[in-house]
Amino acid sequence: MDVGMVNDETVSSGSSNANLSNNSAHGRAVSPSSSARDPLLPVAENWCHTQVKVVKFNYMWTINNFSFCREEMGEVLKSSTFSASCNDKLKWCLRINPKGLDEESRDYLSLYLLLVQCNKSEVRAKFKFSILNAKREETKAMESQRAYRFVQGKDWGFKKFIRRDFLLDEVNGLLPDDRLSIFCEVSVVAETVNVTGQTTVSHLFKVPPCRLSEDMATMFEKSQFSDFSILCKSDNGSEPQTFYVHKAVLAARSPVFAAMFDHHMRESDTNSTTVDDIEPEVMSSEGWDLLVREHPKLLEEVFRALAMQQTPPVVLQPPKKRPKPSPY
């Protein structure tokens, strides 16, 4: 600790009715421990946000010809009153004991924040004191570690703020032109506001749009992990084409295919079947893709008809009309 800094940082009350032998009645404030936050926080339908509003302001008190202060030990020098704004009902002032508050602190300067006027039963405030050096820099700062309870006429501060010999030594530059500049910062707890509300379940979770039909179509197009094949032959002599599909999907969509796979028919053993009356272009066309995506029920009927070697109940495409041969 540097020479001249406080060797008793305990916040104390300097009021005359305080027990000066135990002027650290509230003791050193303990900083609250920071609890680890769970990244997977639960979501509640009923909630409350509590906002503690704090009003912050500052004040500078300059004492010229400080070395000539004639106050004896225990005697007080007070600043003018100040507040956060001109409309604020709370009035504060600073007070010092240039030669200490009592015998224990006679070699120190004692510094306190005093609540002069109050329109409430009590207020709570934190404070910070510092001295401005010749460069107008804050030095020898001390602050309360928690908000202290103030009532009208009550003060809190530091009985041993700074040693007098250190303060008066010109080498330290704390009294330029014999001028003491004390800078005070105050944070007053104004009010506590609770905001409550409810959140509907639909707002808690964003339900993505259903993409099942798109995913099924993608699975058919990419043939990934397929375990069954359908060979389509054409009557017009075009090249046959094989389509790779999935047994589970066929069985789920068609009772006929489900029975085929369950009874170990030839198609189940070879993991393939041949369809002679559908041209490959039909299954690879945009119409087939649309059928897979948007009309799964209709597709089921088609597969049922194919498996039973029956005429499908619907016509997927209109028959192509062959041009009549010209008589000429």
Side-chain angles (χ1 to χ4, degrees):
M1 181 175 294
D2 296 338
V3 177
M5 291 193 65
V6 176
N7 56 14
D8 181 4
E9 298 182 1
T10 305
V11 175
S12 63
S13 171
S15 302
S16 57
N17 58 353
N19 185 349
L20 299 180
S21 62
N22 293 289
N23 54 18
S24 58
H26 292 280
R28 182 188 293 273
V30 179
S31 301
S33 60
S34 57
S35 58
R37 297 187 61 182
D38 187 355
L40 300 177
L41 294 177
V43 180
E45 296 181 12
N46 300 285
W47 50 266
C48 172
H49 294 306
T50 300
Q51 176 66 39
V52 180
K53 294 187 176 181
V54 178
V55 177
K56 297 183 179 182
F57 56 98
N58 52 58
Y59 178 73
M60 187 170 69
W61 182 19
T62 301
I63 305 173
N64 291 313
N65 299 319
F66 175 79
S67 61
F68 291 91
C69 289
R70 304 182 60 173
E71 285 74 18
E72 296 299 325
M73 182 187 67
E75 294 183 347
V76 177
L77 186 62
K78 292 183 179 181
S79 71
S80 60
T81 59
F82 59 93
S83 59
S85 64
C86 57
N87 298 323
D88 192 0
K89 301 297 183 182
L90 301 178
K91 305 297 181 184
W92 307 81
C93 82
L94 297 179
R95 75 171 188 85
I96 64 171
N97 301 98
K99 297 183 180 180
L101 179 68
D102 53 15
E103 187 67 30
E104 180 186 359
S105 58
R106 64 181 304 162
D107 295 328
Y108 293 82
L109 179 143
S110 304
L111 177 58
Y112 297 91
L113 174 66
L114 170 67
L115 180 58
V116 178
Q117 181 179 323
C118 180
N119 61 338
K120 304 177 182 179
S121 59
E122 67 175 46
V123 294
R124 294 187 178 272
K126 294 178 66 176
F127 49 90
K128 175 184 175 182
F129 301 141
S130 59
I131 296 177
L132 302 186
N133 60 17
K135 297 179 180 180
R136 310 301 288 177
E137 298 170 337
E138 292 186 53
T139 60
K140 308 307 174 185
M142 294 185 65
E143 63 180 307
S144 60
Q145 297 301 308
R146 63 177 175 87
Y148 281 84
R149 174 179 174 271
F150 286 83
V151 296
Q152 184 168 314
K154 180 73 173 181
D155 58 10
W156 287 100
F158 301 96
K159 183 169 67 171
K160 297 180 179 180
F161 179 65
I162 189 170
R163 289 188 60 90
R164 281 181 52 82
D165 54 0
F166 186 86
L167 177 63
L168 296 173
D169 191 341
E170 295 182 359
V171 175
N172 299 318
L174 300 181
L175 293 175
D177 300 324
D178 201 18
R179 181 180 65 250
L180 175 63
S181 297
I182 299 174
F183 189 70
C184 174
E185 299 174 69
V186 184
S187 300
V188 178
V189 179
E191 59 180 333
T192 303
V193 178
N194 286 336
V195 179
T196 60
Q198 293 181 329
T199 303
T200 58
V201 176
S202 60
H203 292 163
L204 294 177
F205 305 99
K206 183 179 180 181
V207 180
C210 181
R211 291 182 47 85
L212 180 59
S213 60
E214 289 85 351
D215 295 338
M216 294 291 287
T218 301
M219 182 172 64
F220 173 73
E221 293 167 358
K222 293 185 176 182
S223 303
Q224 190 174 21
F225 306 119
S226 63
D227 52 3
F228 195 80
S229 62
I230 299 176
L231 177 64
C232 294
K233 292 183 178 180
S234 174
D235 295 334
N236 59 8
S238 61
E239 287 292 329
Q241 187 172 350
T242 302
F243 296 90
Y244 298 94
V245 293
H246 303 78
K247 283 185 177 180
V249 177
L250 294 178
R253 303 301 299 173
S254 171
V256 176
F257 274 106
M260 178 190 297
F261 301 144
D262 188 49
H263 290 87
H264 301 289
M265 298 176 65
R266 179 174 57 85
E267 290 83 357
S268 177
D269 295 336
T270 60
N271 293 324
S272 65
T273 187
T274 301
V275 180
D276 297 321
D277 51 358
I278 290 185
E279 297 181 4
E281 291 81 4
V282 174
M283 294 189 67
S284 59
S285 64
E286 293 183 1
W288 178 262
D289 183 69
L290 181 65
L291 186 67
V292 173
R293 292 178 183 272
E294 300 185 6
H295 302 285
K297 286 290 185 182
L298 185 60
L299 184 61
E300 178 185 354
E301 295 296 329
V302 173
F303 277 133
R304 183 192 304 271
L306 294 177
M308 298 297 294
Q309 296 297 317
Q310 298 176 357
T311 302
V314 294
V315 179
L316 296 179
Q317 290 183 342
K320 297 179 181 179
K321 293 183 179 180
R322 297 182 178 180
K324 294 181 179 180
S326 174
Y328 301 102

